[in-house]
Each structure stands twice: as C-alpha cells, then as structure tokens.
Amino acid sequence: MIQWIGQFNPIQQALMATMFTWGVTALGASLVFFFKTINKIVLNGMLGFAAGVMIAASFWSLLAPAIDMAEELGQIPFATVAIGFLIGGAFLYAVDKVLPHLHLGLSTADAEGIKTNWQRSVLLVLAITLHNIPEGLAVGVAFGAVASGLGTSATLAGAVALAIGIGLQNFPEGAAVSIPLRREGFSRRKAFLYGQASGIVEPIAGVIGAYTVVKMQHLLPYALAFAAGAMIYVVVEELIPEAQREVGGSKTDIATIGCMIGFTVMMVLDVALG
C-alpha cells in the first residue's frame, strides 16, 4: 500500500488520506442507524481515546520531525518548534472565540463565539468541526514533509500511520456527534448527515497544509509544530473536559483509560510504521 501511495504527489496523497479520515467519520456517524442513545460512560471512553491519539500524534508525528527538520534548515530547533506550537494554539483560540458553535448538552443560550441566530443543529456541528481542522492540517503537513526530503523522521509510512491514527479516533468522534443529535430529536438520516459533515473540513485543511509546505519549504518545521499546537489546544480545551464530565458519580477513570489506550495505539502505529 505504501508503494502505491508513493506514486502520487504530496497534495494528492494528502487529499486521499484526509478523504479516508472523513470516510471513517461518516462510518462512525452511521452508528446512529442502529442506536438512538449512547451511554455517557462509553462516550467518555471514546473521547478519552481520541484525546490520547491526538496527544501521541502531536509528538511522534509532528513535533519530533519538526525538531529534526529545523536542525537541517539551520534554524534554532527549540525556538522554531516553540513558536509554531504556540501560534497553532493561538489560532485555535481565536477561531474558538470567533466561530459560533455549541457543545452537546448545552442550551442555545450557551453558544460560544460571535452571537448569531443560526439553527441549533448548525452550531452543534460547528463545535465538532473545530476539532477536525487541526487533524486535517496535521495529515496534510505530514505528507508535505515527506516530499521535502528533510530529516529522517518524516517518512511516507509515518504519514500513513498518522492518517490511520486520526481515522481511528474519528470513528468514535463521528458516533459522538450523530447519536447525541438523534437523542435531541433529529431524524436518523439528518443526524447522520450532520455527523459526517463535521469531517468535511479535513480534506480541505489537508490539501491546504500539504500545498503550503510544498511551496514554502522553510515553513515546514513551523507548520508541523503549528498543527501539533492546534491539536493539543483541542485536547485540553474540549476533549478532556468533556470526557472527564462525571456520570452519576466518579467515572472519570473510564476517560483516563481511554486516553491511555489511544495514546498507546497511536504510538505503536507511528513507531512500527514510521
């Protein structure tokens, strides 16, 4: 499979990889056709798993290659990575404050971002779409990094491993969107459509990320660190707090175990394949 993917240019590779991650989101969202509700404990475990995957991917697939490439480009590695990482977090912070969105379980009055009269369903989907921007960007930048030929950390197998890892955590994420929407009164078809739509931003962000680093190679270490910072922001700001929300008592250990498993799965994927 790696050899087959290698026949395409980085932008095409990024598009195919993020179409895969979007497809897995849709697959997870399709669970709404079989279940009307999802146990909160199970949901917390899913969110914890997603957080673990994103934390592991941020280091092994993004920050480690960024440090390696910054050295080859004659940059100051710790400064380059620190700047890119913080800018990535700042970008997500700004989007979070500007883009209207609403987290599941809250009333429309609790919507964040600029105040609008948009429908509740749109605000709910936009909240999950925020999570997928850095994920798509990370995959795109990873494939663009391979084409640069810089460093030894960025490999095609490693980029594929990242796409697989993001795809794995997108499956429970898709279910975590569509099933709660069904519980809120949406039809199964509408809940599925909204659930899978939350992942449509990944191919867009992936192509933009790959194109940017291919055309401006000197920005590559910054871009890798940027994607890592954006993902860590999502993990700390959204996934972990939601996953640690108690359910009739102290059940936060389920989310913690899910995070540990997700981290291990992504680590194994990256080290074994990359």
Side-chain angles (χ1 to χ4, degrees):
M1 183 181 72
I2 302 297
Q3 292 180 338
W4 178 76
I5 294 175
Q7 300 175 19
F8 300 91
N9 67 53
I11 297 174
Q12 291 172 325
Q13 291 170 349
L15 178 60
M16 289 188 294
T18 47
M19 289 296 290
F20 162 75
T21 59
W22 179 20
V24 179
T25 301
L27 191 62
S30 70
L31 291 181
V32 75
F33 293 110
F34 307 97
F35 305 97
K36 185 176 181 179
T37 62
I38 182 170
N39 186 285
K40 186 63 172 67
I41 297 176
V42 174
L43 178 60
N44 286 354
M46 289 179 170
L47 293 173
F49 179 87
V53 168
M54 292 176 72
I55 293 171
S58 295
F59 176 72
W60 272 283
S61 299
L62 299 171
L63 291 176
I67 293 170
D68 193 20
M69 293 175 188
E71 289 178 334
E72 283 209 20
L73 289 170
Q75 300 171 354
I76 303 174
F78 71 84
T80 296
V81 173
I83 291 170
F85 185 84
L86 292 176
I87 292 176
F91 171 76
L92 257 291
Y93 173 82
V95 173
D96 188 57
K97 296 302 179 185
V98 173
L99 183 68
H101 63 284
L102 175 67
H103 297 290
L104 290 167
L106 300 180
S107 66
T108 306
D110 295 318
E112 299 178 32
I114 296 174
K115 300 302 179 183
T116 71
N117 57 359
W118 292 354
Q119 292 184 359
R120 176 180 175 82
S121 56
V122 174
L123 295 173
L124 288 168
V125 173
L126 286 176
I128 304 301
T129 301
L130 276 174
H131 298 181
N132 292 327
I133 293 174
E135 294 170 13
L137 183 64
V139 173
V141 171
F143 279 98
V146 176
S148 71
L150 293 172
T152 57
S153 300
T155 65
L156 183 57
V160 171
L162 175 61
I164 293 173
I166 295 297
L168 285 175
Q169 65 95 37
N170 274 1
F171 181 82
E173 215 170 57
V177 180
S178 63
I179 295 177
L181 286 177
R182 171 63 176 159
R183 189 174 64 242
E184 292 201 11
F186 289 78
S187 68
R188 294 184 188 276
R189 179 175 175 276
K190 192 172 183 180
F192 167 74
L193 290 176
Y194 279 125
Q196 63 83 31
S198 67
I200 195 172
V201 72
E202 289 194 8
I204 298 171
V207 169
I208 291 174
Y211 179 83
T212 300
V213 298
V214 166
K215 294 298 181 181
M216 293 176 281
Q217 194 176 95
H218 64 284
L219 291 180
L220 184 50
Y222 291 99
L224 287 165
F226 178 97
M231 288 213 295
I232 292 298
Y233 183 91
V234 167
V235 168
V236 179
E237 171 71 11
E238 305 288 351
L239 293 181
I240 290 178
E242 178 62 29
Q244 291 288 332
R245 190 172 297 172
E246 293 186 359
V247 188
S250 181
K251 299 291 184 181
T252 58
D253 54 337
I254 300 299
T256 303
I257 292 170
C259 184
M260 296 290 290
I261 293 173
F263 187 96
T264 302
V265 168
M266 186 64 234
M267 177 179 63
V268 170
L269 277 174
D270 193 88
V271 175
L273 296 181

